[in-house]
Amino acid sequence: MEGPAHASVPSAPVLAAYSYCEAVTGTQARNFAYGIRLLPTDKRQAMSALYAFSRRVDDIGDGTLAPEAKLARLEETRALLGRIRAEEVDEDDTDPVAVALAHASRRFPIPLGGLDELIDGVLMDVRGQEYETWDDLKVYCRCVAGAIGRLSLGVFGTVNSTGALDTARADEYADTLGLALQLTNILRDVREDAGNGRTYLPAEDLAKFGCSDGFRSDRMPPGSDFAGLVHHEVRRARALFVEGYRLLPMLDRRSGACVAAMAGIYRRLLDRIEREPEAVLRGRVSLPPHEKAYVAVRGLSGLDARTISRQSNRRRG
């Protein structure tokens, strides 16, 4: 489905607000920025507004405030979201993120409740929630990543093979792709998260591979099988990517390229982690800019989508 649901030409204050959000995205979300630069202007602006608001929520959770202060800030942010939903934010508001998101939500049918889910997920972080099983962790991943995928569909628009709207199926695939991205993030950041007192991987998986003591050091204790743990989670993430990529044929070419580029970067991170699991204990694994640019080109050409489609067909065959 091409084009916004409710076209609205941005005024100068709104354009300034979008520019602010795009600057935030470009400096703080390099992987995300590589994908959304493939979108037409109106969709890129809307996605930047979504990212900037989401980043604000994440920064509260990751910041140095006391837990009580974080809880208060998150509820203030939820109240702001309520004002945006009620169309009480106009272009004269002093908060550029609110101005941009309010305009984007009038321009596109964005399900803003997904941002409430994101806040719920960050509240889990602030309260120190731990996860016994993969099913438990999926609840968290759906809040902080699956919800972003579903929000993005409000900007992209989706159709099925007959050209009809197919929101429910698209939401399912976007949610699954979000799980794949978040699980990759969790593997990449195990050391950093441990330093912040957080362990996301399921406790039953940690116990199975002798890693229940956590990841505060770049050396695991004797008898643990850290590589086995990582390879177990990598297989899980790969299966999620294969299922989530079934979303791509439901998107227009440039929206599909955006998703393929972002997901392709994370799939290559997953490849690196699989080849050298212990690297994540020494620091954050990342891709160089030239490789990200290559992934973006593959996304625009549809190469990654075709590769994943073949994998998906083999799995179903």
Side-chain angles (χ1 to χ4, degrees), residues 124-255:
M124 295 180 197
D125 283 337
V126 174
R127 292 166 178 154
Q129 187 160 332
E130 297 179 348
Y131 308 96
E132 180 64 29
T133 67
W134 168 237
D135 283 342
D136 296 333
L137 181 59
K138 279 196 293 189
V139 175
Y140 170 78
C141 292
R142 285 200 167 102
C143 285
V144 300
I148 301 303
R150 286 177 264 118
L151 283 159
S152 301
L153 293 184
V155 177
F156 296 152
T158 57
V159 296
N160 62 19
S161 59
T162 67
L165 288 172
D166 194 359
T167 304
R169 186 66 59 86
D171 281 353
E172 176 186 336
Y173 294 149
D175 189 80
T176 301
L177 194 55
L179 295 183
L181 298 176
Q182 189 62 25
L183 183 54
T184 304
N185 265 337
I186 287 170
L187 288 172
R188 181 193 64 184
D189 296 341
V190 289
R191 182 75 185 279
E192 180 181 334
D193 290 333
N196 292 325
R198 297 176 186 167
T199 300
Y200 291 101
L201 291 175
E204 67 175 15
D205 292 354
L206 299 178
K208 178 179 178 180
F209 293 96
C211 297
S212 297
D213 289 341
F215 314 105
R216 292 183 179 276
S217 169
D218 61 1
R219 299 177 68 87
M220 296 299 294
S224 63
D225 183 10
F226 181 71
L229 171 67
V230 170
H231 290 151
H232 174 75
E233 305 300 347
V234 165
R235 287 191 295 272
R236 176 176 279 155
R238 287 197 188 287
L240 293 167
F241 272 117
V242 169
E243 180 69 11
Y245 261 67
R246 296 174 71 179
L247 172 67
L248 295 184
M250 305 173 75
L251 304 175
D252 66 77
R253 180 172 178 268
R254 290 175 71 176
S255 296

